[in-house]
Amino acid sequence: MRTEGSTEGSHDLRHHGDAEVRDDGSALVDLAVNVRADTPPPWLQERIADSLASLAAYPDGRPARAAVAARHGLPVERVLLTAGAAEAFVLLARALKVRRPVVVHPQFTEPEAALRDAGHTVDRVLLRAEDGFRLDPAAVPGDADLVIVGNPTNPTSVLHPAASLAELARPGRTLVVDEAFMDAVPGEREALAGRTDVPGLVVLRSLTKTWGLAGLRIGYVLAGPETIAELQRAQPLWPVSTPALAAAQACVEPRALAEAAHAAHRIAADRAHLVAGLREFASAGLRVAEPAEGPFVLVRLPEAAAVRGRLRDLGFAVRRGDTFPGLDEEWLRLAVRDRATVNSFLQALEQALAPTRG
């Protein structure tokens, strides 16, 4: 674990998994994008479709905001609805007056990209594979006044203990925890969403991953009222569309929460199946970053770029890892899919690794 100054280097911070399945990749089996398959479900599609009758009116976010607040047991003043978590990172970068922002990597690169675009100099804390990509709170510089960390972390699939993250909080510091994938963790254990006892805490949530709403753009911020007010002032008017508001309200209702909880257990079982299959390729030098707790796994293997290309030829898209600070060209991220898809992928991986085994 080490701290690194603001040098973007060779990492393409704007590269995301959807690049793997655009254009000539659109026909591939998608293990590159971390959106749950077979979503949105029909009942959610119907709720969104019903909202189209109200498009002539300006969006009214109050009912959805109140629903999100109730879901987390918070007053509405602690909730801000956003056009996905990505908008929240832009608002944080532009609205907060910070001197030394620190991003804990490897993680989703958009927070650092947004900070850079806003003119900030960004320091990095790089977690190491040898440590299981676990965070030691002492590694974060004491004078950092903005710290951003994912939980569970994309792409490492590490779930940090809530107590360790809470140790990062201190007066004068904003602690941003990206919980975009937390609802894919059974019981949402280690979640900080809903906590009001951690000073300076900002939690980001996304509804696009579990519910397949990446094209609709909906997420939210949970934070102290003063921080929410600052972020809200940086937002344009009517930032979240009426269909997205309808989706937000629907996705935090008891029925949806029960469905998400069931899906989290299914994802955990499918992930275990994927990891067990990947371990069979240890003789080819493949290593899985474990324990994995998110709806994706990170793997390291020799000649990963070449293997990724062969997988594309065999009909599968996976996410390159070298665009994440702290990783290099030997890493790939794989989204968890159902067992039938995983079995087909493992067969393709065996073929893709054959030249490497040689």
Side-chain angles (χ1 to χ4, degrees):
M1 192 176 310
R2 60 190 174 89
T3 304
E4 183 182 84
S6 181
T7 54
E8 188 168 351
S10 60
H11 297 96
D12 180 1
L13 301 180
R14 294 294 190 188
H15 180 92
H16 300 298
D18 62 315
E20 310 283 356
V21 290
R22 289 199 301 257
D23 302 327
D24 64 338
S26 59
L28 300 176
V29 178
D30 179 11
L31 276 75
V33 176
N34 293 325
V35 172
R36 182 162 65 100
D38 302 323
T39 51
W43 62 264
L44 181 52
Q45 294 182 41
E46 291 173 8
R47 290 284 291 270
I48 294 169
D50 290 346
S51 74
L52 300 182
S54 303
L55 291 185
Y58 286 97
D60 181 1
R62 291 176 298 175
R65 188 183 186 190
V68 170
R71 181 256 193 270
H72 292 287
L74 296 171
V76 293
E77 293 80 12
R78 284 182 167 268
V79 175
L80 181 69
L81 303 177
T82 59
E87 187 205 5
F89 291 123
V90 172
L91 295 176
L92 288 163
R94 294 179 178 178
L96 301 186
K97 305 298 186 289
V98 295
R99 301 178 309 280
R100 190 180 184 188
V102 170
V103 179
V104 179
H105 284 291
Q107 78 150 322
F108 183 48
T109 54
E110 202 59 31
E112 179 171 329
L115 286 164
R116 290 177 180 277
D117 288 347
H120 295 284
T121 298
V122 183
D123 287 337
R124 298 169 176 169
V125 171
L126 300 179
L127 309 184
R128 304 188 307 166
E130 307 91 274
D131 301 325
F133 296 111
R134 309 299 299 185
L135 172 65
D136 177 2
V140 176
D143 62 345
D145 55 355
L146 173 65
V147 178
I148 301 179
V149 61
N151 203 41
T153 305
N154 170 22
T156 63
S157 209
V158 167
L159 184 65
H160 300 291
S164 295
L165 296 179
E167 281 185 45
L168 294 172
R170 62 193 59 195
R173 171 183 288 177
T174 299
L175 170 62
V176 179
V177 182
D178 177 9
E179 293 188 350
F181 295 100
M182 186 60 79
D183 57 357
V185 176
E188 295 195 4
R189 66 185 192 283
E190 312 303 345
L192 289 174
R195 294 272 297 270
T196 59
D197 60 321
V198 181
L201 176 65
V202 176
V203 174
L204 307 185
R205 285 288 182 110
S206 170
L207 296 173
T208 65
K209 318 297 184 184
T210 289
W211 297 109
L213 299 174
L216 195 61
R217 310 310 305 142
I218 179 64
Y220 54 89
V221 181
L222 307 175
E226 301 82 4
T227 300
I228 293 296
E230 285 186 76
L231 299 179
Q232 194 166 25
R233 282 192 291 270
Q235 270 188 318
L237 289 173
W238 310 292
V240 181
S241 70
T242 295
L245 292 170
Q249 190 166 353
C251 288
V252 296
E253 292 173 352
R255 169 186 175 175
L257 296 179
E259 182 174 323
H262 176 75
H265 286 282
R266 186 174 68 248
I267 288 167
D270 290 339
R271 183 183 61 240
H273 180 66
L274 171 60
V275 170
L278 292 169
R279 288 182 187 140
E280 296 297 317
F281 299 105
S283 61
L286 188 150
R287 299 290 183 269
V288 182
E290 297 188 69
E293 301 282 1
F296 45 86
V297 298
L298 184 67
V299 301
R300 188 175 198 170
L301 70 160
E303 301 182 27
V307 171
R308 174 173 156 267
R310 293 182 204 125
L311 284 169
R312 292 183 72 86
D313 293 339
L314 293 166
F316 290 85
V318 299
R319 170 68 157 91
R320 57 188 282 204
D322 61 329
T323 63
F324 293 100
L327 302 182
D328 58 25
E329 66 280 355
E330 291 192 342
W331 295 91
L332 298 173
R333 190 192 70 197
L334 314 173
V336 173
R337 298 292 184 244
D338 63 272
R339 291 195 175 205
T341 301
V342 166
N343 289 341
S344 297
F345 167 73
L346 292 171
Q347 292 174 358
L349 180 59
E350 184 172 21
Q351 295 181 57
L353 287 171
T356 303
R357 287 170 159 174

